[in-house]
């Protein structure tokens, strides 16, 4: 599918895509055994990366049932290498993530949020939410969007903006005990691309523990 959303480039992020530094050792611990790692601007040249991936990727516009009708999925999706060749910096990212977190996060998915009307509802990753613990990472390119984290059991939520090459790693029980999403916004915002790095969980997903082990 062709994408005609205007990618409003600027000097910020217009360099050749590259990693700006090593990954930190510290983690931010959340409730219920979940943790995150945030690295602002970890991927330099994010605007260039988003533009190249947008142009070289075959995008999918999904449909889904909602109540008594079928509606458009409010974002475009793709995967690498099935939907396109990707970019050399993606290999650098997977290598850095593997060295830091001990996971081969070489399953790469893409989501393109064309404007503020595109979103993703609160959710846990389909396979990982049945696992005791997991690790996945997201690089956000382009215009920042609000990212929400809320515990399944209720309580205080967490939110922050992600864009301009920011890295977010979610680990521990987070896919099972928290839900994450990107809400719609009425503000005028440019396109944002989420590049998601996951292990191949389907090959050998650990069994979810019984309640006595939680």
């Amino acid at each position: 599918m062709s994408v005609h959303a205007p990618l409003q480039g600027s000097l910020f992020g217009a360099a050749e895509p590259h990693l700006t530094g090593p990954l930190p050792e510290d983690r931010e611990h959340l409730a219920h055994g979940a943790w995150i790692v945030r690295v602002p601007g970890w991927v330099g040249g994010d605007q260039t990366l988003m533009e190249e991936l947008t142009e070289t990727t075959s995008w999918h516009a999904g449909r889904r049932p909602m109540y008594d009708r079928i509606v458009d999925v409010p974002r475009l999706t793709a995967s690498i290498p099935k939907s396109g060749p990707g970019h050399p910096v993606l290999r650098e990212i997977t290598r850095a993530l593997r060295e830091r977190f001990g996971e081969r996060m070489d399953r790469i998915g893409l989501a393109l949020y064309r404007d503020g009307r595109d979103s993703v509802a609160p959710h846990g990753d389909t396979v990982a939410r049945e696992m005791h613990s997991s690790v996945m990472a997201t690089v956000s390119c382009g215009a920042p969007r609000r990212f929400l984290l809320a515990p399944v059991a209720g309580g205080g939520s967490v939110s922050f903006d992600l864009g301009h090459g920011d890295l977010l790693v979610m680990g521990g029980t987070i896919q099972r005990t928290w839900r994450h999403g990107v809400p719609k916004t009425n503000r005028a915002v440019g396109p944002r691309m989420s590049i998601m790095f996951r292990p191949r969980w389907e090959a050998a997903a650990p069994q979810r523990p019984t309640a006595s082990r939680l």
Side-chain angles (χ1 to χ4, degrees):
M1 177 180 180
S2 298
V3 177
H4 300 290
L7 299 180
Q8 299 177 2
S10 66
L11 293 179
F12 189 92
E16 185 65 21
H18 63 283
L19 305 187
T20 60
L23 290 169
E25 294 295 325
D26 294 340
R27 300 175 177 180
E28 182 177 346
H29 292 276
L30 306 177
H32 314 297
W35 56 263
I36 59 174
V37 172
R38 284 189 288 162
V39 187
W42 186 57
V43 176
D46 70 287
Q47 187 73 31
T48 301
L49 178 59
M50 182 170 69
E51 290 175 356
E52 292 192 16
L53 289 175
T54 298
E55 293 300 322
T56 61
T57 300
S58 176
W59 294 92
H60 174 67
R63 303 269 290 168
R64 69 181 183 191
M66 179 175 286
Y67 303 111
D68 58 347
R69 58 197 177 105
I70 303 296
V71 300
D72 293 332
V73 173
R75 62 193 174 281
L76 302 180
T77 59
S79 63
I80 301 297
K82 179 180 179 180
S83 306
H87 187 281
V89 78
L90 302 184
R91 291 192 293 272
E92 296 181 40
I93 294 171
T94 57
R95 182 167 55 249
L97 293 172
R98 181 178 68 246
E99 292 174 355
R100 171 63 182 85
F101 297 102
E103 294 274 6
R104 293 185 59 87
M105 290 191 276
D106 54 1
R107 186 163 64 95
I108 303 174
L110 307 176
L112 181 60
Y113 299 80
R114 294 157 289 187
D115 54 36
R117 293 170 295 181
D118 280 354
S119 63
V120 60
H123 67 286
D125 277 18
T126 303
V127 176
R129 66 188 178 210
E130 299 300 325
M131 298 166 60
H132 179 246
S133 62
S134 61
V135 179
M136 69 88 65
T138 299
V139 171
S140 297
C141 301
R145 290 288 299 273
R146 179 64 58 174
F147 186 88
L148 300 179
L149 278 165
V152 174
S157 61
V158 179
S159 68
F160 37 82
D161 289 339
L162 291 177
H164 296 319
D166 296 342
L167 171 71
L168 174 69
V169 182
M170 296 185 286
T173 67
I174 197 165
Q175 301 295 342
R176 181 166 55 86
T177 61
W178 290 68
R179 294 293 177 262
H180 59 276
V182 177
K184 298 180 187 295
T185 177
N186 293 324
R187 294 186 295 110
V189 294
R192 168 186 179 265
M193 183 180 293
S194 177
I195 310 173
M196 295 154 284
F197 300 83
R198 301 178 175 91
R200 298 184 182 278
W201 290 319
E202 292 87 349
Q207 294 295 311
R208 181 171 174 173
T210 61
S212 63
R213 292 176 58 193
L214 294 178

